């Protein structure tokens, strides 16, 4: 891929850290969303992929290993088997407030990864009513533990800066 950065600013000129960056890398999936030996599941269930739910957030890969390089300005950064994550957002709406956390670097042989996310979304089919939703997904030793509202409890509290608390029970 190739990306050219532009400088933009409001009320003044902001300089980019570099004018250009380029990259070439490939990623091998370790965990998608679901059991490692099973099929990929829809994030937050099959109904979440329907157009009535916004923003149709789907976790494509909760843990992968990437190898290649990124050139940032004149600096070349090469890497092999770097932990990776991939998701897809699409749809018309976006949550009014949201949180997301992901970690797949626990240093264990079981390839543990933790993914959690949630927010306040507007449901168009309920005449614009809002709901707070969240989920937690854990991969450990080839097993997938999904904590979602229909199989357990997920609660969260997010402060504006630097304090996020997410709890789940299933």
């Amino acid at each position: 891929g190739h990306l050219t950065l532009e400088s933009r600013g409001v009320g003044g000129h902001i300089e980019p850290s570099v004018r250009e960056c380029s990259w070439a890398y490939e990623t091998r999936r370790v965990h998608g969303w679901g059991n490692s030996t099973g099929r990929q599941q829809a994030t937050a269930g099959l109904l979440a992929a329907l157009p009535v739910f916004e923003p149709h957030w789907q976790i494509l890969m909760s843990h992968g290993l990437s190898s290649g390089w990124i050139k940032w300005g004149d600096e070349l950064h090469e890497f092999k088997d770097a932990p990776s994550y991939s998701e897809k957002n699409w749809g018309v709406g976006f949550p009014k407030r949201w949180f997301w956390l992901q970690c797949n670097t626990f240093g264990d042989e079981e390839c543990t990864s933790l993914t959690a996310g949630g927010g306040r979304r507007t449901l168009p089919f309920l005449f614009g009513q809002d709901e707070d939703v969240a989920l937690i997904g854990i991969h450990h030793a080839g097993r997938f533990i999904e904590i979602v509202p229909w199989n357990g409890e997920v609660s969260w509290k997010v402060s504006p800066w630097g304090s996020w608390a997410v709890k789940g029970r299933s």
Side-chain angles (χ1 to χ4, degrees), residues 22-39:
S22 55
W23 63 91
Y25 66 90
E26 35 183 64
T27 302
R28 179 175 53 88
R29 186 177 90 164
V30 177
H31 300 299
W33 191 255
N35 286 322
S36 298
T37 57
R39 294 181 52 185

Side-chain angles (χ1 to χ4, degrees), residues 42-126:
T43 307
L46 187 58
L47 292 178
L50 297 176
V52 294
F53 294 103
E54 295 289 352
H56 308 300
W57 176 58
Q58 294 291 315
I59 298 167
L60 306 174
M61 181 180 62
S62 64
H63 182 57
L65 298 172
S66 295
S67 298
W69 56 268
I70 297 174
K71 187 173 182 189
W72 186 257
D74 293 329
E75 297 177 27
L76 181 65
H77 302 276
E78 296 181 276
F79 49 93
K80 181 172 175 50
D81 292 338
S84 303
Y85 168 83
S86 175
E87 68 178 49
K88 182 177 183 178
N89 294 304
W90 73 96
V92 179
F94 198 79
K96 292 182 177 181
R97 63 183 186 139
W98 59 276
F99 74 93
W100 159 80
L101 61 97
Q102 203 285 328
C103 182
N104 55 16
T105 312
F106 290 93
D108 61 357
E109 294 179 17
E110 289 84 22
C111 299
T112 301
S113 69
L114 166 71
T115 307
R120 175 167 289 159
R121 66 181 179 186
T122 301
L123 299 172
F125 66 91
L126 289 178

Side-chain angles (χ1 to χ4, degrees), residues 125-143:
F125 66 91
L126 289 178
F127 306 104
Q129 231 173 353
D130 292 344
E131 78 168 341
D132 288 341
V133 293
L135 60 77
I136 300 171
I138 302 165
H139 286 88
H140 179 71
R143 185 167 168 235

